[in-house]
Amino acid sequence: MTVFGIWTFLSALLSFAITALIGKFLIPFLHKVNFGQTILDIGPSWHKDKQGTPTMGGIMFIIGITAVTSVSVILYAVFGNSFVGAYQLDPSRCVTFVFAGLGLALGHGIIGFIDDYIKVVKKRNLGLTAVQKLVLQFAVTIAYLAVLGFMGYKTTTVIPFVGQVDLGWFYYIISAIVIVGIVNAVNLTDGIDGLDGSLTFFVAIFFMLIASLVSLMGVSFMAAAVAGGCLGFLVWNFHPAKVFMGDTGSLFLGGIVCALAFAIDMPILLLPLGLVYLCEMGSVVLQVGYFKLTHGKRLFKMSPIHHHFEMCGWSEVKIVSVFSAVTVVFGIVSFLLVYFGV
């Protein structure tokens, strides 16, 4: 195993260990302060059994991922050039994209924390309004894109088998819409035990492999930390969940997934790698649109689509397994697109 392989493995392992260990102390604390999830009537009726399960558990992987990524990338920036060998290293680019990406994810995580806090402490079940969330999300996203622009990064993106494409000022408009869209798609995916954590684990694994393939090793360390953090969280969140990530965690994960895609300069990969997230969001849009057009008829038994499969009799574990398998298949497709097309 190469130095970078060991480095990547350690990033994942440390993130896993820190996240899982924090859960041992955070979950009893959340119980103690009564930070329990309120289960709304819009979900399956049997989810009422989860009433009171601690939420805001995303704090544990936010700490693990942020800490490990920061240390790994700083060490890479300082010592990376000592291991040039076959790799084309660019530590300065890596540091900019990674820390700007962490800022993007943390910014969305803070929005999620505010939302969860209002729900749990202020007893307003719906938290922030949709408009308030969108305004805050676009503010964080615009700040992220402004940082990249200020650092001199161009308005180009890489598309496999096409090459560099310059979008001009449209780059910022399209990027802002894509980021906010993906963040909310990941948020909507968090509806059953272990689903969001499992999907993001596999998404991070493939981003790690792709980043290594294009010699962006610092980004690979970040992706490894995300994968380890998700796995550490699943120790506590897999069915039956002892804690939920809340919007605190799901919005952070949405931000970090976008950060990884932009760090390798291929946000187009969010289409295949984030296919399940997009289907979850698409099912909500279709359900609402169909309901309005037909004056009360439903396209799915319930949306997002994971609830539809629940209503069809699928267990939560089966849904997580099938959705994860789909993500793995499209992860392989994404890797092959980069391998042969870049």
Side-chain angles (χ1 to χ4, degrees), residues 99-294:
F99 281 101
L102 279 177
L104 176 70
L106 288 169
H108 282 99
I110 291 169
I111 295 169
F113 180 85
I114 295 169
D115 192 43
D116 286 334
Y117 184 85
I118 292 170
K119 292 175 185 175
V120 173
V121 178
K122 299 298 183 181
K123 307 302 180 185
R124 279 171 46 191
N125 287 350
L126 297 178
L128 293 168
T129 66
V131 173
Q132 287 172 331
K133 272 187 181 180
L134 282 174
V135 168
L136 290 172
Q137 288 170 348
F138 271 108
V140 169
T141 299
I142 290 169
Y144 166 72
L145 295 172
V147 168
L148 296 187
F150 179 77
M151 294 300 294
Y153 292 102
K154 298 178 181 179
T155 55
T156 58
T157 185
V158 176
I159 299 178
F161 295 103
V162 175
Q164 288 273 355
V165 177
D166 192 344
L167 300 174
W169 281 101
F170 285 107
Y171 175 87
Y172 296 106
I173 297 171
I174 295 170
S175 296
I177 293 170
V178 166
I179 291 170
V180 172
I182 291 292
V183 167
N184 283 295
V186 175
N187 179 234
L188 287 169
T189 305
D190 182 35
I192 60 176
D193 297 353
L195 181 58
D196 229 356
S198 296
L199 295 181
T200 307
F201 167 77
F202 288 112
V203 169
I205 288 292
F206 282 102
F207 271 128
M208 178 189 75
L209 295 174
I210 291 167
S212 298
L213 183 65
V214 296
S215 302
L216 292 171
M217 300 311 300
V219 180
S220 182
F221 303 150
M222 182 185 190
V226 174
C230 287
L231 200 59
F233 181 69
L234 287 170
V235 169
W236 306 104
N237 181 244
F238 201 77
H239 186 73
K242 298 176 180 64
V243 68
F244 299 139
M245 67 174 67
D247 284 2
T248 304
S250 61
L251 292 181
F252 174 87
L253 289 183
I256 208 78
V257 165
C258 292
L260 289 169
F262 277 80
I264 61 173
D265 201 19
M266 283 183 269
I268 191 72
L269 293 181
L270 289 169
L271 290 175
L273 266 175
L275 180 66
V276 174
Y277 301 140
L278 295 172
C279 287
E280 293 277 11
M281 183 170 66
S283 69
V284 173
V285 173
L286 289 172
Q287 182 85 319
V288 172
Y290 190 78
F291 186 86
K292 290 181 177 179
L293 286 173
T294 59

Side-chain angles (χ1 to χ4, degrees), residues 41-46 283 287 298-311:
D41 292 330
I42 57 175
S45 58
W46 52 89
S283 69
Q287 182 85 319
R298 298 179 187 276
L299 190 60
F300 304 103
K301 292 183 178 181
M302 188 174 287
S303 67
I305 201 166
H306 57 257
H307 287 325
H308 170 81
F309 287 108
E310 275 194 283
M311 300 297 284

Side-chain angles (χ1 to χ4, degrees), residues 195 238 316-326:
L195 181 58
F238 201 77
E316 294 188 44
V317 173
K318 181 178 179 179
I319 294 168
V320 171
S321 300
V322 172
F323 283 25
S324 295
V326 171

